[in-house]
Amino acid sequence: MSQALFSVFDRLRITRRAGLSAVLAAAAAFSMTMAAPASAEDKTTVKVGIMSGEDEDVWRVVVAEAEKKGLTVEVVTFNDYTQPNEALERGEIDANAFQHGPYLENQIQAHGYKIVVAGYTAVWPIGVYSKKHAAIADIPEGAVIGVPNDPSNEGRALLVLQDQGVIKLKDGAGILATIADIAENPKNVEIKELDAGIVGRSVEDLDAAVVNTDWALKSGLTVENRIAQEKIADNPYRNFIAVREADLNAPWVKTLVSSYQNDTVKAEFDRVYKGTGTAAY
């Protein structure tokens, strides 16, 4: 075989190898593109976890506001407070909006979540409700008072009872106080710990109950049944939109927060919650 013919074959082999290398490189690049998830910076669609109920009406307006800004928001509803943070941590949703600071702090301590506050939404002052007594002062000796049994809300409820003079807590008990922290109980009231979703529905069987506003609404309680509530000024229990720490500075987070923090959403919030909650931003 002539040298010229060898050269032709060599060129063909080189061309073929180069072509094959190019194909393999392109395939590898395509594979990497398909395998790598879109970064937080590129998101135009996000999933947001909320609790089912009245907040769904508010978030329908948030979804519409976000759409105007080029962000598609898919709302995912939950019925259990423990689920939205777990779903957020696992990446099943991109944000959630259902909790206050003490609750998230407790969840982080218990589970090590890397979840942070992105923007505040509203505050619902927790209240003392009764269908038997018209005022806190009317609660009798030995009365039974229900409180939520989850760590952050139990402490919150006990602080309200302390502010109203029903009990006194040990110094330094703080927002995660439990019934073990009760130092003084002048009326010898019995504090009954119940699930947050049940305590409001148990008012008929109790002298009074400290109930989160959302559960009070679900339980059919009204402002007429509320005989006391916590202070609004400097309230540590503001609710917020939460995201994973790694996503905090992503552009879609700012868009999502601004889609909530506006007058259009506030008007719907006021309509839905009838004055039981107030904007916290």
Side-chain angles (χ1 to χ4, degrees):
M1 190 177 291
S2 69
Q3 184 63 41
L5 195 53
F6 270 122
S7 297
V8 170
F9 279 120
D10 285 342
R11 285 196 295 273
L12 286 174
R13 281 197 294 268
I14 292 169
T15 302
R16 187 174 178 181
R17 282 199 300 269
L20 182 58
S21 297
V23 169
L24 290 173
F30 179 77
S31 177
M32 291 174 64
T33 301
M34 293 298 290
S39 71
E41 302 293 323
D42 299 327
K43 282 186 182 293
T44 56
T45 298
V46 296
K47 293 182 178 180
V48 181
I50 67 170
M51 299 305 293
S52 62
E54 291 78 12
D55 226 25
E56 292 179 69
D57 290 334
V58 176
W59 275 86
R60 286 189 189 96
V61 179
V62 179
V63 168
E65 291 298 300
E67 196 68 35
K68 297 175 186 176
K69 303 172 187 290
L71 180 66
T72 299
V73 175
E74 298 177 3
V75 172
V76 180
T77 57
F78 295 89
N79 296 301
D80 183 334
Y81 281 136
T82 64
Q83 295 175 348
N85 281 333
E86 183 65 24
L88 178 56
E89 181 74 10
R90 290 198 302 257
E92 295 170 2
I93 56 177
D94 302 292
N96 64 42
F98 78 103
Q99 65 192 320
H100 51 59
Y103 182 82
L104 177 59
E105 289 171 14
N106 181 263
Q107 289 277 290
I108 290 172
Q109 289 177 8
H111 305 287
Y113 295 145
K114 295 187 181 302
I115 296 173
V116 295
V117 176
Y120 287 97
T121 55
V123 60
W124 289 264
I126 199 169
V128 184
Y129 294 81
S130 178
K131 291 190 176 182
K132 297 179 180 178
H133 311 292
I136 285 284
D138 297 336
I139 292 177
E141 181 87 13
V144 181
I145 302 176
V147 299
N149 64 3
D150 58 282
S152 59
N153 283 312
E154 180 172 4
R156 185 181 186 182
L158 294 175
L159 286 171
V160 173
L161 294 177
Q162 175 174 256
D163 289 342
Q164 297 297 321
V166 178
I167 59 172
K168 184 176 180 180
L169 299 169
K170 296 174 183 176
D171 291 342
I175 59 178
L176 295 179
T178 70
I179 57 175
D181 294 306
I182 297 174
E184 296 179 22
N185 187 353
K187 288 189 175 182
N188 294 311
V189 299
E190 177 188 347
I191 305 296
K192 193 167 187 177
E193 299 168 298
L194 299 167
D195 182 88
I198 294 174
V199 65
R201 297 186 176 93
S202 303
V203 169
E204 299 278 359
D205 303 317
L206 303 166
D207 286 281
V210 188
V211 188
N212 294 76
T213 301
D214 54 344
W215 286 115
L217 289 171
K218 290 180 175 70
S219 303
L221 297 171
T222 67
V223 290
E224 287 74 26
N225 305 130
R226 190 170 61 203
I227 59 176
Q229 73 173 31
E230 69 184 355
K231 299 173 183 177
I232 295 178
D234 301 319
N235 194 305
Y237 295 97
R238 291 179 295 169
N239 279 34
F240 47 78
I241 295 170
V243 298
R244 289 182 294 277
E245 186 178 317
D247 289 337
L248 182 59
N249 295 317
W252 64 263
V253 174
K254 184 177 180 180
T255 302
L256 178 63
V257 171
S258 66
S259 297
Y260 191 105
Q261 295 179 350
N262 57 73
D263 290 341
T264 304
V265 172
K266 184 180 183 301
E268 178 65 6
F269 178 91
D270 291 342
R271 183 194 71 78
V272 169
Y273 287 103
K274 302 177 175 64
T276 57
T278 184
Y281 48 87

